[in-house]
Amino acid sequence: SLMEQAEKSIKRLHRQLVEDAAGFRHFQDEQRHRTRKRLKRLRYAVEFVAPLYPKKAIQKYLSHIRPALDALGEFNDLVVAEQLFRTEAEKDQRAWFAVGWIVAQRTLILQDCANALEQLPQAPKFWS
């Protein structure tokens, strides 16, 4: 049934994200981006099946994954900005200031990402 297939997919993504959380601090940027894409797919899957489950259960679950989504989105923005400013720094040395600021912010946001992902195992599961 649709519900069984959806649950299977959601469980798999949730499990993969819990595994990713354990090593996230040591991942390369490509692996971190893969984690972000998984988390987005999980959110989309949960929102798709939301009408089949109690509204409060879905809202509780989504509220536990939102901090990770926000942090990973911000981290991705910094990765892209760093690449752009490093390219610009080849032409204009003043861009190195931005690169330095971005690198410092990445460190802070990386910590936020890891902390938010580490909360996923405690997310109240709405599925059976």
Side-chain angles (χ1 to χ4, degrees):
S1 75
L2 173 63
M3 205 160 174
E4 290 170 344
Q5 289 295 334
E7 279 189 14
K8 182 179 176 183
S9 179
I10 289 167
K11 286 177 186 178
R12 186 186 82 252
L13 286 167
H14 182 87
R15 184 183 69 254
Q16 288 172 334
L17 286 161
V18 168
E19 291 170 6
D20 284 356
F24 187 81
R25 295 172 201 272
H26 307 290
F27 284 177
Q28 298 296 317
D29 287 344
E30 296 82 26
Q31 294 168 297
R32 292 176 180 143
H33 187 62
R34 181 196 67 207
T35 299
R36 178 175 182 248
K37 291 191 303 187
R38 278 184 180 156
L39 192 57
K40 287 173 71 173
R41 280 195 308 271
L42 175 64
R43 184 191 75 202
Y44 298 147
V46 170
E47 289 173 346
F48 180 74
V49 300
L52 304 173
Y53 294 91
K55 186 176 182 177
K56 284 187 179 184
I58 295 290
Q59 288 174 337
K60 275 183 148 181
Y61 184 78
L62 290 174
S63 73
H64 273 78
I65 68 171
R66 255 186 215 104
L69 280 164
D70 292 344
L72 286 166
E74 190 171 348
F75 184 82
N76 189 65
D77 291 347
L78 290 170
V79 169
V80 171
E82 182 182 355
Q83 292 169 350
L84 292 172
F85 277 101
R86 283 186 184 277
T87 300
E88 183 63 26
E90 294 172 9
K91 296 177 255 172
D92 185 350
Q93 295 292 310
R94 294 175 294 181
W96 284 113
F97 177 80
V99 171
W101 182 86
I102 291 168
V103 168
Q105 290 302 303
R106 272 180 50 134
T107 302
L108 295 172
I109 300 302
L110 178 61
Q111 188 70 24
D112 291 346
C113 292
N115 291 342
L117 286 168
E118 288 169 358
Q119 299 306 309
L120 288 178
Q122 288 80 38
K125 294 160 187 70
F126 60 89
W127 58 84
S128 56

